[in-house]
Structures are given as C-alpha cells and as structure tokens.
Amino acid sequence: MDGKIQGNCTFLIMETLKQLPHNYLVLFAMFNAVGNLPILADLTGNLDKQQRNRMFRKAVVVAGGIVLAFAFFGDIMLRNIFDISTSAFKIAGGILVFAVAAKGVLSGPSANQIQSVSSHNIAVFPMVFPYLAGPGTILITTILLIQINGNLLTALTVILVYLSILPILYLSPWVEKAIGKLGVMVIARILYIFICAKAVSLVLSGLHINL
C-alpha cells in the first residue's frame, strides 16, 4: 500500500514538472513582456530609476494579484456564476486570444492610447490593463486552470511568470539597447505566432476536434 502511494506521488510530481514548463511558456508568451518594452519605456521615460522601478513593482503586484484571483476562482465563476461550459469557454477564449495575438503579429503594440495618461496612474492603466493583465492573459490563466484542473499549479505558474517579468522591466532600457528595436519587434511577433497557434488548438479542443 505504501509503495503504491509513493508511486502515485512520484507520478504526480513528474506530471507536474512536465506540465509546468509548458504552462509557463504559454503564459509568458501571452504577457509578451519583451514585445511591450518600447511602450513601457515610453510610459516611464520621464521618471528617474527609483520611481520607474517602484512603478514596475506596483504594476506587477497589482497585475499578479488580479491574475492569481482568476487562477483560484476563475473556474468557480465560469461554472457556478456564469454557467458556461468548458468547451464554450475554450472556443470563445481561443477566438479572443487569436484576435489579440494576430493584431500583435500584424501591427505590434500601439502607444497612441498612452499619451495623455498621468504618470501617477500608469502603474494601473495602461501597465496593468491591458499589458500585464489583459483579457488574453486572464483567459489563458483560466483555461490553464481548466485543462490541468489544479489551482496550485496554475497559481505557481502565474507567480513564476511575474517573478521573471519584473527583472525584465527593471532592465528594460538595457534590454532594448542590447537587442535593438528590430530585435524587440522580431521576438514579439514570434511569441504572438505561438500564441495564435495555441489559440487555434483551444478552439479545436472546444470543438472536440483532434488533428
């Protein structure tokens, strides 16, 4: 009996370790922190280093809190409050995520909407909405929760992604200089292409189509 329990625990740990990198890469690609570096640099261009880092920390904490809430309660809201089936959510979420990613591939992020935003408010809008906790990110988080059926693993994925995004934000001026604006654009579009493919697979999964 003890051997069987130990075997089940080992299997569960191995499955978790196998699933975590996949979930991390999908969610990290949806955030597209590297692709958003030019906009984030513009948003904080008039701040000194200390103010900029404080703004980044606030944005990451707020965005992380929002996405973690969906990691724990998204499934409850989906099934019990809105009474939406998993298949319907995958189809709708896949279409929306595809639209967001396709727009990123074709045009890239736009800075037009941020010109009149006060520096006191940028940590929430537009840093959190729509860049660090946009609808695509929330949808992907909820879908990951449904697919793996585990709050803790989804929450761990979210925490790891945000912890890895914060250093990128801190180093944004140097990262952009190191790879250049062209490099940022190329990386952003490659990540968006992967997200487009993931969105299509979500729709097919919702339709119960296996290719």
Side-chain angles (χ1 to χ4, degrees), residues 84-177:
I84 300 173
S85 69
T86 299
S87 296
F89 189 78
K90 285 182 177 180
I91 294 169
I95 292 171
L96 178 58
V97 169
F98 183 87
V100 171
K103 181 181 177 183
V105 171
L106 297 174
S107 60
S110 173
N112 294 334
Q113 65 194 64
I114 66 175
Q115 300 302 323
S116 61
V117 179
S118 167
S119 61
H120 297 291
N121 301 323
I122 60 173
V124 177
F125 175 81
M127 274 193 183
V128 173
F129 300 105
Y131 296 118
L132 296 182
T137 299
I138 292 172
L139 280 167
I140 287 291
T141 301
T142 308
I143 290 170
L144 288 178
L145 170 64
I146 294 169
Q147 287 181 329
I148 64 179
N149 197 25
N151 303 79
L152 293 179
L153 184 54
T154 307
L156 179 60
T157 304
V158 171
I159 291 171
L160 288 176
V161 169
Y162 276 109
L163 286 177
S164 61
I165 282 176
L166 191 56
I168 295 176
L169 297 180
Y170 282 162
L171 299 173
S172 55
W174 294 274
V175 172
E176 190 175 359
K177 285 180 182 178

Side-chain angles (χ1 to χ4, degrees), residues 34-38 175-176 179-189:
V34 176
N36 288 325
L37 284 181
V175 172
E176 190 175 359
I179 62 178
K181 290 187 179 297
L182 180 60
V184 168
M185 291 171 59
V186 170
I187 292 174
R189 280 158 174 77

Side-chain angles (χ1 to χ4, degrees), residues 51-74:
Q51 290 175 317
R52 183 172 64 247
N53 288 346
R54 185 167 62 247
M55 201 73 67
F56 286 150
R57 283 194 299 271
K58 180 179 178 182
V60 166
V61 168
V62 173
I66 292 170
V67 178
L68 277 174
F70 277 90
F72 282 108
F73 304 113

